[in-house]
Amino acid sequence: MIDWLAPLVLIGAALVLFSILTSVLAFRFGAPLLLVFLLIGLVAGEDGLGLAYDDQASAFLIGSIALTVILFDAGFGTRLAAFRRVAAPALTLATTGVVLTTGLVGVAAHWLFDLPWPQALLLGAVISSTDAAAVFFLLRAGGITLRSRVRGTLGVESGSNDPIAIFLTVTLVELVLHPAGLEAFTGALAVGFGLQMGLGIALGLLGGYVLNRLMNAIELETGLYPVFVLVGALLVFGATTQLGGSGFVAAYVAGLVAGNRQVPHLATLRRFQDGMTWLAQILMFLVLGLLATPSEFPAIALQAIGLGLFLMFVARPLAVAVCLLPFRFSLREVAFIAWVGLRGAVSILLAILPFLAGLENSQLFFNTAFMMVLASLLVQGWTIKPVARWLGMVVPQRLGPVEKIELELPGTAHHELVVYHVTPGSPVVRGARLPRWARPALVLRDGHSMHFRKAGRLQPDDYLYIFMSPQYASALDHLFAPPAREAADRRLGAGDFAIDPTAPMRTLVDAYAAEVKPEVAGLTVGEYLKQQFPRPEPGDRVRLGYIELIIRACDAQERISEVGLRVLDRPSSP
């Protein structure tokens, strides 16, 4: 009666386990990890190992739940201050950018596939959003540190544009099923957009607030808090969707609200949500890979690849350039944001909707979206790092890796025990003092524990146990991290050497013949750069003849604290 149960569990567990193990190789060879998950699903499918899976409804359900988990975690991990700083450009990309991309790709699809206009625009909507899973993976595990404004814009855009693309896709499916005039369609589009987004934001705010209050008011077993939060996120999604709003918007907003208030057992929650997000990504890409039939791809390969290239090199760059025009992004920043428009599981997930609605050309939509996602992950996903370095978007890490463990203390949410590994070359090894508010408890050295005051100066490979408030969780990191290598700074474009921000610009004119206006010569280097960049961030740079000034670091008040100078090559004399 249940003979199917054991094979299902065996095959499913084996696929997930194999995906996890292949991540080691993917990291080593620089392959986009999510592409690996997708390819494993393809290989295991009916054209590979022969696992037949064609249940679009269950695939859509699994994908929707996985996407909810990913979006809630994305909101939960986004600091409100960072969100506010990039909200305007990111939300413009998430709304206007998605609409522009839909229109541009729709025009190309109409020409390449000879589709009626409603179906061509539907294909454009399916592929219009950047993928939250792909972009968040890049930002977290990509191995590069991007400029904060660019990083924040990409993160908020990818977390908020999926609901817009889903709304457009559902609306266009209805248009194909029930054709209407332009005026009626535009009116329905505006009303539906306002209802879905308005309800999604309102119920997300309410759900996140209630979830956070309940977390702080109810005493649960420590292991139940992460389960409580996960189920709460799914409840917010389901209730909002049932009431006619966008459940995906609600999940992201609920995570943003809940994660920016006091949270008990935060370290436990972070570890659990990190694992659940990985599992959600693996399951979503595996299931969508299993659903595909690669033997059908060759029939539309040329058109699909052509449409994918049009999206990467024309539609996305044009949409990004138009959306970011009012926000004073540099040309390099615009180019990089355009290139990181990775498509992923969400586009394939949306391509299932025509199947569920019974539309003609459903298989065409699915196969085209799948091939475009493959092209995006192969071309864009594999080139993110070199493009970031080429465009100067990488900020050199000022610190080496910090090794620490955060342990929550039972009975209070106001203190935690942080364990730091003392690395060679770190400031504490060189004699730097801990701040007064830090409460060092003990030192573990060569397997023996001792009181901090009796341990003397900290030694490499010591472990230091410190009691501290969670609000200072990262405040000591710089004391336990080895300094980044100067060679790495030069390679990543932080300049050949550091100069004092309080040095007068006149000295640069005298020493390097820097080309500056006379009224600027009396300013300090920091004042001059502040004039050029009212909201400075590491990586901002300006050329002055044959030298380049590069902002290396800023403090919390956006004051420039470190500047690099790069000497440019002069043309050789004839």
Side-chain angles (χ1 to χ4, degrees), residues 484-570:
R485 293 174 299 178
E486 288 298 320
D489 280 1
R490 290 195 296 271
R491 185 176 68 251
L492 295 178
D496 297 320
F497 53 87
I499 62 173
D500 187 351
T502 63
M505 291 292 293
R506 188 177 297 106
T507 60
L508 299 182
V509 177
D510 297 338
Y512 300 100
E515 298 175 4
V516 298
K517 296 178 180 178
E519 60 269 22
V520 170
L523 299 176
T524 67
V525 172
E527 290 170 342
Y528 172 74
L529 289 172
K530 186 69 174 179
Q531 279 188 358
Q532 302 300 308
F533 306 102
R535 302 193 70 175
E537 63 176 62
D540 285 335
R541 62 193 61 214
V542 61
R543 179 168 178 168
L544 302 171
Y546 295 108
I547 66 169
E548 189 175 46
L549 297 179
I550 303 145
I551 298 175
R552 287 187 172 187
C554 302
D555 61 20
Q557 287 73 43
E558 295 188 338
R559 292 190 296 259
I560 298 168
S561 57
E562 190 173 345
V563 178
L565 186 147
R566 179 186 174 204
V567 180
L568 305 174
D569 294 332
R570 295 174 179 266

Side-chain angles (χ1 to χ4, degrees), residues 26-76:
F27 277 117
R28 179 167 297 180
F29 294 105
L33 188 55
L34 301 180
L35 173 63
V36 174
F37 299 155
L38 199 61
L39 291 178
I40 291 173
L42 276 178
V43 171
E46 62 178 310
D47 281 351
L49 299 180
L51 296 179
Y53 177 71
D54 58 358
D55 188 349
Q56 289 91 3
S58 66
F60 190 78
L61 174 64
I62 293 170
S64 297
I65 293 174
L67 184 58
T68 301
V69 172
I70 293 168
L71 289 175
F72 180 83
D73 181 61
F76 196 87

